Amino acid sequence: MTDEMVQRFSVALARLAGDEDLLIAMATMVTDDAPEVIVRLEQQLEQTEMEEAAASAHKLKGMLSTFETDSPVAELEEVVHAARGGNSRQASESFQACRVPIHELLREIAALKN
């Protein structure tokens, strides 16, 4: 890991007692699994399957929260709440608002594997 990566993910490393190997292993799992969860969430939102969308958004939030607790994880919480409340329009809008930051975070996480 570069010094820049250590700095970027310093909070995540602190939560993992400084274990860089564990952070890299978790990065591998997240980058392998997150794309499928994102596709499933998009489909569930499109088909207004709010209970399933809430579960998928919660799962994605959990995956990403290892690495980041601010944006876009905080915005994913809004998706979870809207979907749990049955507000499909708000859930979809909230997800669209954090879609690009999610993909940016995933690119940063993927860089940990290299």
Side-chain angles (χ1 to χ4, degrees):
M1 282 181 38
T2 67
D3 289 341
E4 184 178 287
M5 290 174 177
V6 169
Q7 179 64 28
R8 167 62 178 98
F9 293 108
S10 62
V11 174
L13 281 166
R15 283 194 298 269
L16 300 173
D19 191 334
E20 290 182 14
D21 291 333
L22 179 56
L23 186 68
I24 292 167
M26 293 180 81
T28 300
M29 288 186 289
V30 167
T31 55
D32 286 350
D33 296 344
E36 180 182 324
V37 175
I38 291 169
V39 167
R40 192 171 344 126
L41 175 57
E42 290 171 337
Q43 291 170 343
Q44 292 161 340
L45 289 170
E46 185 177 304
Q47 297 169 2
T48 63
E49 297 170 344
M50 291 299 99
E51 188 173 321
E52 294 84 355
S56 293
H58 188 265
K59 182 176 184 176
L60 182 60
K61 178 182 163 252
M63 296 167 94
L64 298 178
S65 66
T66 298
F67 302 92
E68 182 63 68
T69 55
D70 291 327
S71 182
V73 175
E75 288 84 355
L76 274 171
E77 183 64 25
E78 294 173 18
V79 177
V80 172
H81 285 298
R84 284 183 179 159
N87 189 336
S88 61
R89 184 183 60 78
Q90 183 61 46
S92 293
E93 288 176 2
S94 295
F95 181 68
Q96 288 307 314
C98 66
R99 198 166 180 268
V100 170
I102 287 169
H103 287 287
E104 290 172 357
L105 178 57
L106 284 171
R107 278 192 291 279
E108 289 180 299
I109 294 169
L112 291 169
K113 301 185 310 182
N114 300 326

